[in-house]
Amino acid sequence: MKKYTIDEVTEFISRIHSDETITLQLYTVDEVSKILKLTRITVYNYIKKNKLKAAKIGNAYRIIETDLLDFVQKSIQKADNKKAYN
């Protein structure tokens, strides 16, 4: 699995907001938990608290790649802000 830099995440999100056509990747909760190295319960909690956007399709949640990247970017920014105040 490729690791993204902050610049790559920012560029990808800006492409989403433009008129450029791209294919969206959907992830399951299990896939997201493996990518982020978190438990499934933690991922479900982020979804429940609206920290991570997800769509319920049938009985399962699906996370769009751009929403996952946005979540990671916000988490990095939040961590950077905490470092700045300490």
Side-chain angles (χ1 to χ4, degrees), residues 3-77:
K3 294 183 180 181
Y4 293 93
T5 66
I6 293 174
D7 291 336
E8 289 173 319
V9 171
T10 303
E11 190 271 332
F12 189 77
I13 290 171
S14 68
R15 284 178 41 209
I16 295 299
H17 296 295
S18 71
D19 291 334
E20 188 175 337
T21 303
I22 60 173
T23 304
L24 296 179
Q25 174 70 38
L26 294 176
Y27 294 104
T28 65
V29 169
D30 284 339
E31 290 170 330
V32 170
S33 69
K34 288 177 185 175
I35 291 167
L36 299 178
K37 297 182 180 173
L38 299 170
T39 65
R40 292 174 69 235
I41 299 297
T42 300
V43 175
Y44 279 119
N45 284 336
Y46 283 139
I47 293 169
K48 183 177 178 180
K49 294 176 183 177
N50 294 319
K51 292 182 177 184
L52 175 60
K53 292 181 186 177
K56 193 163 191 181
I57 302 173
N59 292 328
Y61 284 103
R62 295 290 182 262
I63 297 95
I64 298 173
E65 183 176 36
T66 54
D67 291 332
L68 177 58
L69 293 172
D70 190 42
F71 171 79
V72 171
Q73 184 178 31
K74 286 178 183 176
S75 298
I76 291 168
Q77 289 172 345

